[in-house]
Structures are given as C-alpha cells and as structure tokens.
Amino acid sequence: MSVVHTVWVVAAWAMISVRRIWPRTVTIALPVLLAVHLAVLPTGYAAFVVTAFAMYHLGRYAPRRWFVPAWVAVVAGTVAALMLKGDYLVVDPVIGLFLSPVSFAVLGFFWMLGLNGRRRDRELMALRDRAELAAIAERTRIAREMHDIVAHSLTAVIAQADGGRYIAAKHPDKAVEALENIASTARSSLGQMRQLLSVLRDPDDFSGVPPSPPGTPSAPGAPSVPGAAGHVPADAASSSASSSGHASSTRAAGTAEFAPMPGLDALPQLVAEATRSGLRVTYTENGRRPDVGATMQLTIYRIIQESLTNALKHAGPVAADVRLDWGKRGGTVTVRNDAGGGKPIEPPSESEGGERIGRGITGMRERVALHGGTLDIDDAPDGFTVTARLPKE
C-alpha cells in the first residue's frame, strides 16, 4: 500500500508542477487521480492538499459547463472520504461528518482563487487584444498618411519635371521655376514625413541638446561639410545666394517636423501646388464654417489632396473643381475632375480593369469611416467625382 501511495503522490505532484504548461491535461488528470485515491487508498493529508490544488486549477482553467458537475463530485467525494475512509484522520465517522463543512469552506477558498486567476487571465488577454488592435490601427494610419504624402509629392514632382524638361529649350527661366517648385514640394513632403515618423522615435532620441548654430566648427576628426565655415568650395561661392535660400528652406523643412498637421487653412496652398503641377483647379467653400477639430480638418485635407493627386496621375492636366459645403448636419467635400484629355502621369496598365479603386481611395474610405461619414465614387466617362459626407462633430 505504501508503494502505491508513493506512486500516487509522485504522479499527483508531477501533474501539479506542469499545470501551467498543459492546463487541459491537468484538468482531466487531477480528478482522475483523486478518484483513484478514493477507490484504493485511505484518506490522508496528501489527498486533501491535492484536492485543494485541483479546486484551484478547475476554477481557473475548467470550462464553465464543468462547474456544477465538479462541485457535485467534490461534495460526494469529500463526504465519502471523511466518513468511509477517514480512519487515518478521525476516529469516529460522526466527526468526519462535522468536518465536511470545514473542508468545503477550504476547498471553496481555493476555488475562488482559481476564479480570480481566470478573471485576471481574461483581463490580460483583453489588454493584449486591445494593444494589438491599437498597433494595427496605428500601422494603418501611418501607412495611409505615408501613401497620401508620398503619392501627392511624387506626382507633383513628376508633372513639374516633365513640364520643365519640355520647356527648358525655349524658356530656361520657366525651367528654373519648375525646379524651384520641385524643390519646394520635396522639402514640404520631407517635413511632413519627418513629422509623421517622429511618433515612431524612441523618447531617448530627444536628448534635449539643441542643434549647433550655423557656422559652429565641427568636432575634430569629423568630415568636412561643403558650405561649412572654412570649407567653401570655389564653385559654391558663385551661388551663395542660392545656397542660402536652400539652407533656409532646409531648416524650414526641419522645423516642420514639429508643426501641426495640415488642415483647412492649408487648402489654398494645396490648390496652388496642384495648379503649379498642371491642374486647372477651382476651389469654393460655401456656408458658414463651424468649429472643426484637427482630426476632421486633416481628413478633409487628405481627401482633397488624394483626389487632386489621382486626377493628375490618371487624367493628366485637366480641370478640377473642389467644393466644400457646410450645413447644419456637417460638411460635404466634392472633388470632380474632367476626363483625361492630356498625358496622364501614371497611365492605367493593360491588366487593370473596372473601377479605379486603389490604396488612396481605400485610405479615404477609412478616414471618412472614422468620423461616421460616407464616401461616394462616381467614375463616369466624362469625369471622376469623389463626394465625402462628414457628420457634424
């Protein structure tokens, strides 16, 4: 009997030691071991300790449909163990009957501990799920912003570069103006990208040390930088004014990293950039503009930006009409461009068919959905229309 008892104790503690590794296996193994103990071994302290662990484990990991059968088995098994096989613990079965409520109270305490552990596990799982969803949403937001910024700037750069290439032979001054517009567009987009990607930086990157002022000598052993004090190339001296303008523009792009995201006040500048890129844009705003939050302002800006970018990309230098209507229930953004009459920046491939629905339009739908609005696309033969309806905040 002692050998059987030793084997049973070793098996029970083995199951207890792996309860976190294989919780489902232990959920079945511990009740089976307790049933074997009740059938072939007298009741002892080891059996009571294993029963307490079993109650904790069942309360934490067992399916809810097991709760009632588990307690029925525990009550019947405890009463039988104390009254029929409690010779090792008590002298009289009557005493075992009086000890049963105490045993139930102790086992109920371990059961409640298991239920608390179950609740903590669910809370941690819910937190992990929310964190994962938040990470997915943030990645989607960053991808959407990067697409809007990069697609718009590259489309404008390509359009202006093509125009400058064709006009350079006859009007060099116009080509220089196109190059200046390309540089301005690129610096503006660089500033917006820096601002967007700054949220991904480690806080330790911000050491609080201000940048060195212009003209500060570099550290010993540092490479020479053209344009720094004492290292001005000869060919750079003839274009000092242009270099100064470039440096100030570069500093302006750097400070844009900490500027607010574009909103409604930046729409005239956006329209001007689209006009310089070749579109013939008309912009009207009707109704009294209410107090609009920064998020909705950014949404409206990005919708108009993406719509103008798509017009230039797919239709070429055509006429586009941008209209922003305000009402009691919110605002409506409508951007319509004529059908392609010139050379598009990005002609459709032969493999593409059906509606011109890409990442940009998907991003616009996501932005509008965040505010509970709707986005309608009308791809008619005579033009392309985007209508976004945003409810009042």
Side-chain angles (χ1 to χ4, degrees):
M1 187 67 67
S2 61
V3 176
V4 176
H5 184 267
T6 301
V7 173
W8 184 89
V9 170
V10 171
W13 284 108
M15 290 295 100
I16 292 174
S17 63
V18 298
R19 67 186 187 278
R20 294 184 179 179
I21 303 175
W22 300 304
R24 294 183 179 180
T25 302
V26 176
T27 301
I28 299 174
L30 284 180
V32 171
L33 286 174
L34 289 173
V36 170
H37 187 282
L38 181 63
V40 301
L41 293 172
T43 301
Y45 294 108
F48 187 77
V49 173
V50 173
T51 304
F53 270 105
M55 294 299 292
Y56 171 81
H57 187 83
L58 292 174
R60 185 166 186 174
Y61 297 107
R64 288 191 173 273
R65 64 178 181 273
W66 288 20
F67 284 7
V68 174
W71 268 105
V72 171
V74 166
V75 171
T78 301
V79 173
L82 291 176
M83 296 187 64
L84 302 178
K85 292 195 171 186
D87 297 340
Y88 181 77
L89 295 177
V90 296
V91 178
D92 194 336
V94 178
I95 300 178
L97 181 61
F98 283 105
L99 286 178
S100 297
V102 178
S103 302
F104 296 151
V106 175
L107 296 178
F109 171 76
F110 282 94
W111 176 270
M112 293 302 299
L113 286 180
L115 292 179
N116 288 335
R118 177 192 293 262
R119 185 175 64 252
R120 288 198 304 271
D121 292 343
R122 291 188 173 183
E123 290 175 354
L124 291 175
M125 185 178 299
L127 287 175
R128 284 194 294 267
D129 291 343
R130 285 198 293 269
E132 184 177 355
L133 289 175
I136 293 174
E138 185 65 11
R139 286 197 300 268
T140 303
R141 185 190 70 83
I142 293 175
R144 187 167 57 234
E145 292 289 339
M146 290 182 67
H147 171 271
D148 291 348
I149 295 172
V150 173
H152 172 75
S153 60
L154 289 182
T155 301
V157 165
I158 292 172
Q160 293 169 4
D162 288 343
R165 182 179 59 186
Y166 289 119
I167 206 173
K170 297 182 179 180
H171 302 282
D173 54 333
K174 296 292 184 179
V176 172
E177 181 180 352
L179 291 176
E180 291 176 350
N181 291 335
I182 290 174
S184 175
T185 302
R187 292 190 188 103
S188 175
S189 299
L190 177 61
Q192 293 186 49
M193 287 292 293
R194 284 175 173 171
Q195 178 187 2
L196 175 64
L197 298 179
S198 65
V199 301
L200 303 179
R201 286 184 174 179
D202 191 327
D204 294 338
D205 292 343
F206 299 97
S207 58
V209 180
S212 300
T216 302
S218 58
S224 301
V225 180
H231 297 284
V232 181
D235 56 349
S238 60
S239 58
S240 59
S242 175
S243 299
S244 300
H246 170 73
S248 65
S249 300
T250 304
R251 286 193 296 270
T255 56
E257 179 177 350
F258 305 103
M261 295 298 285
L264 298 180
D265 292 338
L267 288 178
Q269 180 182 356
L270 176 63
V271 171
E273 292 175 358
T275 302
R276 288 197 300 268
S277 300
L279 290 175
R280 300 185 299 277
V281 185
T282 58
Y283 169 67
T284 56
E285 183 174 359
N286 303 315
R288 181 179 179 182
R289 181 191 298 181
D291 293 333
V292 184
T295 304
M296 183 171 288
Q297 289 194 39
L298 178 62
T299 297
I300 296 173
Y301 181 91
R302 293 301 187 203
I303 289 173
I304 297 175
Q305 181 187 53
E306 180 63 25
S307 300
L308 295 177
T309 300
N310 287 340
L312 185 61
K313 184 188 300 182
H314 298 291
V318 297
D321 179 43
V322 179
R323 194 168 68 251
L324 182 55
D325 299 316
W326 298 105
K328 295 181 179 180
R329 296 185 178 181
T332 302
V333 182
T334 306
V335 183
R336 185 191 181 280
N337 62 270
D338 294 339
K343 180 181 178 182
I345 300 300
E346 183 181 320
S349 62
E350 296 179 357
S351 60
E352 294 178 352
E355 278 193 339
R356 293 174 289 175
I357 304 299
R359 293 186 180 90
I361 294 180
T362 301
M364 287 193 288
R365 291 192 189 279
E366 293 173 349
R367 292 181 185 277
V368 173
L370 290 176
H371 301 281
T374 60
L375 183 78
D376 296 327
I377 304 296
D378 183 14
D379 191 0
D382 61 340
F384 193 83
T385 305
V386 176
T387 305
R389 296 177 178 85
L390 299 168
K392 187 176 182 180
E393 292 181 313

